Amino acid sequence: MQDKAKSSPPPASSAEGEGRIANLPPLGMDPKSLADDFNHYYCHILGRDRYKGATNSTFKALAITLRARLMERWKNTRYAYEESDCRRTYYLSLEFLMGRALGNTMLNLDATDAVREALYGLGLDLEEIAEREPDAGLGNGGLGRLAACFLDSCATLQLPVKGYGLRYEYGMFRQEIIDGYQVEEPDHWLRGGNPWEMERPEYTRLVQFGGRTETYTDDQGRKRVRWVDTHDVLAIPYDTPIPGYRNGTVNTLRLWKSTATDVFDLDEFNAGSYPESVAAKNAAEHITMVLYPNDASENGKILRLRQQYFLASASLKDAIAEWKRLHDGDLSTFAAKNCFQLNDTHPSCAVPELMRLLVDEEGLEWEQAWRITTATMAYTNHTLLPEALERWPVRMFRELLPRLLEIIYDINVQFLSEVAMRWPGDTGRQQRMSIIEEGPDPQIRMAYLAIAGSFSVNGVAELHSRLLKEGLFRDFYELWPEKFNNKTNGVTQRRWLAACNPGLRRLIDDTIHNGWIADLQQLRKLAPYAEDPEFRRRWHAVKQKNKARLAALVERDTGVRFDPEALFDVQVKRMHEYKRQLLNILHVIHLYIRIKAGDTENWTNRCVLIGGKAAPGYAQAKLIIKLINNVARRINADPATEGLLRAAFLPNYRVSAMEVICPGTDLSEQISTAGKEASGTGNMKFMMNGALTIGTLDGANIEIREEVGDDHFFLFGLTEHEVHEQRKNYDPNAIIAGDENLSRVMNLLESGHFNQFEAGLFNPIVHSIRSPQDPWMVAADFPSYVRAQEQAAAHYRDRDRWITSSILNTAASGRFSTDRTIKEYNEEIWKLTPVPALPVK
Ligand code: 26Q
């Protein structure tokens, strides 16, 4: 059948309606044009008349100046996609951890120098203004930041990919440390206005909740189901431009905000309760109020389920409506031209929701709808912890999404008959694999729903993808081996090297030219310089400057002074027991004991930085934060440690802090229990910026070590297999008794040295280390961790050797670009053709 694409300019039926196209000359990129526009916005739009240094208004005027330059490229990209009638991908994610947009926008528009000059002429400093931008913290950690890096790479590769997410009013909480304890403060990031977003009320969608289902016979005599008496909520889209790297492409991140409909519940309350009925609008507005700050699933919260369905439903309706607008309502090629990538199970309501839209609303037959669904959905898993797999009580679905529940049951019946066909009589397997987990409070296993409804299931590092097939999803792998694949994560080098490390960027550009910014494998060309004394000298000079910048941040936020000559040893990431920040602080205590014992021959001065947020309800992780703070306070206050050891806990770790942290780091701590960290992405940011890694054979660490070579990586700890084996008769007390270092550390910890006046405070931590049940096996890896740390310290004392290893780490980081990751997603899952944007006139 002939495709019915419409060509640009947009058709009269476009949601924006008929009208003449405004024809404007392109905006200048020279300092003069930029300064004129900046002045105009500052005075005429923002109503200011005097420049008083960097303020929210100067930031906004600058953002609007740049946004104006994105607009035409944005429109040209949209028309190019429409005109080519290209296949598209939609990236569905409850999280997009975007951080700041200004630096990235200037880099991608090649406008940084001109902007700096324009501002300088007005007596303003670009770096100070950039500091005024709040982080868009709409994510917890790795999974949310990965989505943001993916968008950057998709735009750079000119792939027609749109992000769909939620516009949380409050992002990830701000972490304060008070008396060593984490205190959560709300992050009202939109308070000063968000100059990057464009409200698009004309694309508002309606999302249903509650109500009941009824059957009816349609005019063709077919039995159909409709969902009635629902509570409806409006989804209003806010679009953020996603510029590619100097290529004219600007893709879209569309975030939904929930609001009440005008008729919201008015009937129910109308009996003389007008104010109450207006107040009841709150329920609708609350859906996108706040990001859930858990990075492992906290099950059973109805608001979270509302959020998940709200995203899935609004996004699918949007994609289908847009498709129908461009194809005269014809869905016959929808499956061939669309793909929905599910960022973990969080948006997996999309599977039954697409079925509902196709069957109930579009009138397709079940089989046809299932073919479309399973040809368009693809699922990415981000965890190996069984306790983090999402499950929802059936009763909640029945209450909130009754029609979806019926559809899930129907999917399950059909799915289990396929299982029974493959393994006749194996009822145990049917029970194991059922999407519905039976029991007193039956649950829906969202991962199983996602696997059954998708044509692709991927893990995020080689080890992780293998373990999924062998463990968590073994039965499913046996049923559908062809669905399973690996896509090792990456990070975007535009933000995580070019923008955040201008010193290193200049040195690399001077040496191998700037092709690496769009092709990271070119960093290999640095390897021959690793032994070049002059290059090493310049590399070291850049690192020292970055360490001074990091030291200034640490001193500002913690009061602790870091000496840039010392080894900067850094672990920043979410606080979780499996990531073993505890192992790190036990090592710090060990170093302190050595200092106190006078065992400081051939010492390497070391500054240890730890940072990260704990889920507000995760008591043990919060107690570990308190321990780190108490240990740091004792050590830093003891004159014996002067010039030998410093420790600090950096409050409120976030994207913009990482942009200062990773360029200034020497040693990157990637010390999770093997088999627990799906991939890690911080490990890649550190490596790219020339840090050496101390790490276990876990997640992407394995691939990092393979790329850089064993001589430039400090390996320790049990392998995943050994963890599995030792688990069976794990005896941490025997390990402690047999290791003098660990015995002394435990003695000091148990003596109350770090909790004077707080008796017994750390008992739960001591207990967890000594427990044969300790899932993270901290004691088991301590001795080999200490040895690896000694190797790292010795390596650092040989300055030239360290610098060589640092250069080789950057040189070997080419594989860890999201450009590579996205190319693999595209070649093996999405199968999109790059579409160049129409040129800016
Ligand atoms: C689920 C239900 C209810 C509330 C919260 C959640 C929830 C939210 C976020 C569950 C998990 C997350 C985030 C998980 C995450 O960030 N995982 C990390 O993903 C990275 C990118 O693939 C990997 O590199 C990390 O190894 C993995 O831990």
Side-chain angles (χ1 to χ4, degrees):
M1 180 197 253
Q2 181 99 44
D3 284 330
K4 294 184 185 122
K6 296 286 164 62
S7 59
S8 86
S13 63
S14 111
E16 282 161 345
E18 264 179 284
R20 278 235 310 266
I21 298 225
N23 211 350
L24 295 164
L27 298 170
M29 285 295 194
D30 55 293
K32 165 90 170 61
S33 310
L34 290 164
D36 287 350
D37 266 20
F38 179 89
N39 273 320
H40 166 68
Y41 293 125
Y42 190 75
C43 300
H44 298 151
I45 306 292
L46 300 172
R48 305 289 148 130
D49 56 7
R50 232 182 278 276
Y51 292 117
K52 289 175 280 187
T55 58
N56 179 251
S57 293
T58 48
F59 158 66
K60 263 183 158 162
L62 178 54
I64 302 171
T65 303
L66 291 161
R67 187 184 73 186
R69 280 145 181 86
L70 292 173
M71 283 298 164
E72 182 165 42
R73 291 167 173 81
W74 205 357
K75 177 197 68 186
N76 288 342
T77 304
R78 206 165 55 231
Y79 289 166
Y81 291 167
E82 289 186 10
E83 230 173 273
S84 65
D85 190 30
C86 53
R87 184 174 152 87
R88 298 177 195 233
T89 288
Y90 303 93
Y91 198 80
L92 270 55
S93 178
L94 269 284
E95 306 192 4
F96 286 91
L97 224 186
M98 302 297 284
R100 291 171 175 159
L102 183 66
N104 190 246
T105 303
M106 292 188 301
L107 173 73
N108 285 5
L109 286 177
D110 196 8
T112 312
D113 293 337
V115 166
R116 185 179 287 112
E117 194 181 324
L119 294 171
Y120 186 80
L122 299 170
L124 294 168
D125 180 76
L126 171 57
E127 276 63 36
E128 279 176 26
I129 292 179
E131 278 301 306
R132 309 301 301 204
E133 180 174 7
D135 278 38
L138 307 186
N140 274 284
L143 165 153
R145 182 55 229 177
L146 184 74
C149 285
F150 276 7
L151 293 182
D152 181 74
S153 285
C154 289
T156 294
L157 296 170
Q158 304 199 300
L159 296 176
V161 175
K162 185 170 178 174
Y164 276 121
L166 296 183
R167 181 181 176 275
Y168 301 109
E169 207 79 37
Y170 293 85
M172 190 61 202
F173 64 80
R174 191 161 47 77
Q175 179 194 54
E176 287 185 6
I177 299 297
I178 297 178
D179 189 27
Y181 290 100
Q182 165 174 302
V183 174
E184 300 93 21
E185 295 290 341
D187 163 47
H188 197 191
W189 71 292
L190 292 168
R191 189 170 31 213
N194 175 6
W196 303 112
E197 70 182 9
M198 302 284 293
E199 190 185 358
R200 296 274 189 213
E202 65 274 31
Y203 298 109
T204 297
R205 311 288 168 197
L206 196 102
V207 179
Q208 298 170 275
F209 290 99
R212 59 189 174 84
T213 65
E214 62 183 26
T215 53
Y216 69 102
T217 308
D218 69 13
D219 44 20
Q220 290 150 54
R222 296 188 309 167
K223 259 194 114 182
R224 305 267 297 265
V225 180
R226 62 184 162 218
W227 184 12
V228 297
D229 296 343
T230 53
H231 298 264
D232 298 345
V233 177
L234 297 180
I236 302 179
Y238 287 73
D239 289 354
T240 300
I242 308 292
Y245 179 71
R246 300 182 187 179
N247 62 7
T249 291
V250 177
N251 279 345
T252 300
L253 169 61
R254 176 161 283 189
L255 300 180
W256 300 104
K257 173 192 164 94
S258 64
T259 72
T261 57
D262 287 341
V263 294
F264 189 79
D265 278 354
L266 278 183
D267 303 344
E268 246 175 71
F269 293 92
N270 239 352
S273 314
Y274 168 76
E276 286 77 3
S277 77
V278 173
K281 279 171 173 287
N282 272 332
E285 323 256 313
H286 280 166
I287 293 174
T288 55
M289 193 61 71
V290 58
L291 167 78
Y292 272 86
N294 314 298
D295 68 337
S297 53
E298 177 183 293
N299 281 308
K301 290 287 198 298
I302 192 99
L303 179 60
R304 171 76 181 183
L305 182 57
R306 280 179 191 273
Q307 290 183 338
Q308 295 186 355
Y309 178 68
F310 182 75
L311 170 66
S313 182
S315 308
L316 288 174
K317 285 187 170 186
D318 199 54
I320 292 172
E322 189 63 5
W323 173 269
K324 288 173 75 174
R325 176 175 79 78
L326 293 170
H327 299 83
D328 290 340
D330 176 10
L331 286 169
S332 60
T333 57
F334 184 81
K337 289 290 187 72
N338 292 284
C339 180
F340 299 96
Q341 189 72 42
L342 308 179
N343 200 16
D344 215 295
T345 51
H346 313 158
S348 59
C349 280
V351 168
E353 175 66 0
L354 183 55
M355 288 300 290
R356 188 187 72 79
L357 293 171
L358 295 175
V359 174
D360 293 0
E361 306 211 340
E362 303 294 338
L364 268 55
E365 294 299 328
W366 177 274
E367 288 71 26
Q368 198 184 354
W370 186 245
R371 266 196 303 277
I372 294 177
T373 300
T374 51
T376 53
M377 295 284 163
Y379 157 55
T380 305
N381 172 284
H382 296 266
T383 186
L384 280 158
L385 308 182
E387 66 269 26
L389 288 187
E390 272 195 298
R391 291 146 84 246
W392 288 104
V394 165
R395 65 189 148 76
M396 263 189 190
F397 259 81
R398 187 173 295 121
E399 178 90 352
L400 196 68
L401 305 166
R403 180 58 184 139
L404 246 57
L405 181 62
E406 294 174 354
I407 291 172
I408 291 170
Y409 274 124
D410 289 348
I411 292 173
N412 198 36
V413 166
Q414 160 194 298
F415 164 64
L416 287 180
S417 80
E418 202 174 328
V419 174
M421 217 120 83
R422 171 72 199 271
W423 293 285
D426 192 346
T427 51
R429 199 186 282 257
Q430 285 178 44
Q431 253 187 36
R432 276 204 316 267
M433 294 180 78
S434 175
I435 294 167
I436 311 292
E437 180 183 312
E438 296 300 344
D441 189 17
Q443 308 274 322
I444 303 176
R445 296 160 163 161
M446 300 306 277
Y448 294 3
L449 176 63
I451 298 172
S454 299
F455 67 92
S456 166
V457 178
N458 77 280
V460 291
E462 277 164 18
L463 174 72
H464 171 229
S465 297
R466 178 166 68 76
L467 294 176
L468 286 181
K469 295 193 284 189
E470 291 173 356
L472 225 43
F473 299 151
R474 188 189 178 126
D475 291 321
F476 289 85
Y477 176 61
E478 286 177 13
L479 182 59
W480 293 312
E482 68 285 355
K483 287 192 186 187
F484 285 76
N485 64 94
N486 173 249
K487 296 287 166 285
T488 298
N489 283 164
V491 303
T492 169
Q493 70 269 30
R494 265 83 58 190
R495 179 176 298 259
W496 296 113
L497 185 50
C500 75
N501 198 342
L504 203 58
R505 179 192 170 185
R506 273 190 294 274
L507 175 55
I508 296 172
D509 286 356
D510 281 357
T511 311
I512 62 168
H513 201 55
N514 65 6
W516 60 275
I517 300 179
D519 174 14
L520 199 64
Q521 289 290 8
Q522 293 191 24
L523 287 181
R524 280 184 197 289
K525 293 190 268 182
L526 288 173
Y529 296 88
E531 308 275 351
D532 173 338
E534 172 58 14
F535 186 76
R536 267 205 298 236
R537 190 193 58 72
R538 294 173 73 191
W539 190 271
H540 182 248
V542 170
K543 180 59 86 177
Q544 289 310 110
K545 269 200 161 171
N546 289 332
K547 288 171 74 172
R549 184 161 66 126
L550 173 53
L553 173 78
V554 171
E555 185 167 4
R556 189 194 73 188
D557 290 356
T558 71
V560 181
R561 289 184 102 125
F562 277 13
D563 174 4
E565 291 301 315
L567 169 65
F568 279 18
D569 170 347
V570 179
Q571 185 177 23
V572 287
K573 50 182 74 208
R574 285 303 290 260
M575 298 296 301
H576 202 294
E577 287 167 281
Y578 84 77
K579 295 177 187 283
R580 297 199 295 192
Q581 285 92 355
L582 179 56
L583 183 58
N584 189 342
I585 202 68
L586 293 183
H587 172 248
V588 172
I589 296 171
H590 161 73
L591 292 179
Y592 180 55
I593 290 169
R594 278 186 57 190
I595 291 170
K596 298 301 274 185
D599 175 16
T600 56
E601 218 181 299
N602 293 326
W603 190 264
T604 301
N605 186 8
R606 190 190 287 249
C607 296
V608 179
L609 185 66
I610 303 177
K613 293 171 184 176
Y618 191 171
Q620 189 79 350
K622 291 175 119 173
L623 190 59
I624 292 169
I625 292 177
K626 172 66 172 164
L627 174 63
I628 295 165
N629 278 300
N630 279 18
V631 169
R633 193 179 47 192
R634 273 283 346 195
I635 288 178
N636 299 332
D638 188 334
T641 63
E642 178 77 44
L644 299 176
L645 181 62
R646 282 290 171 271
F649 185 90
L650 186 79
N652 201 32
Y653 174 58
R654 61 200 184 282
V655 171
S656 61
M658 186 57 158
E659 290 169 7
V660 179
I661 295 167
C662 64
T665 294
D666 294 309
L667 186 63
S668 154
E669 299 269 351
Q670 307 299 335
I671 60 178
S672 52
T673 313
K676 304 298 178 190
E677 187 71 272
S679 163
T681 46
N683 47 3
M684 301 169 184
K685 294 164 198 168
F686 285 117
M687 179 201 202
M688 217 172 259
N689 284 277
L692 278 67
T693 303
I694 180 166
T696 50
L697 286 177
D698 199 14
N701 298 351
I702 296 172
E703 292 158 69
I704 286 177
R705 179 166 162 273
E706 272 168 17
E707 292 293 313
V708 71
D710 191 31
D711 293 347
H712 314 286
F713 184 110
F714 305 105
L715 179 69
F716 76 97
L718 301 176
T719 63
E720 187 276 330
H721 182 72
E722 290 164 347
V723 167
H724 208 79
E725 290 302 303
Q726 266 220 219
R727 165 92 304 121
K728 295 168 191 163
N729 41 27
Y730 180 46
D731 186 355
N733 293 304
I735 296 171
I736 293 166
D739 185 277
E740 208 183 316
N741 292 328
L742 186 50
S743 298
R744 285 191 299 195
V745 168
M746 292 305 289
N747 283 340
L748 195 61
L749 190 54
E750 285 162 345
S751 75
H753 190 75
F754 302 108
N755 51 303
Q756 291 175 355
F757 316 113
E758 298 165 302
L761 180 63
F762 298 125
N763 286 355
I765 290 176
V766 168
H767 180 260
S768 78
I769 299 168
R770 290 192 173 279
S771 166
Q773 263 46 268
D774 174 20
W776 323 117
M777 302 179 93
V778 171
D781 279 349
F782 182 85
S784 71
Y785 182 52
V786 169
R787 282 196 297 277
Q789 287 285 18
E790 283 163 4
Q791 288 167 18
H795 200 125
Y796 190 76
R797 282 197 303 280
D798 186 345
R799 175 180 283 188
D800 281 348
R801 197 152 78 97
W802 185 276
I803 299 169
T804 294
S805 291
S806 168
I807 296 165
L808 290 175
N809 264 275
T810 301
S813 67
R815 177 168 155 70
F816 304 106
S817 167
T818 37
D819 297 347
R820 188 268 313 151
T821 310
I822 289 298
K823 279 183 200 150
E824 291 179 6
Y825 272 90
N826 193 42
E827 275 159 28
E828 292 161 39
I829 305 175
W830 303 343
K831 307 195 188 287
L832 309 172
T833 312
V835 180
L838 304 172
V840 177
K841 285 166 294 183

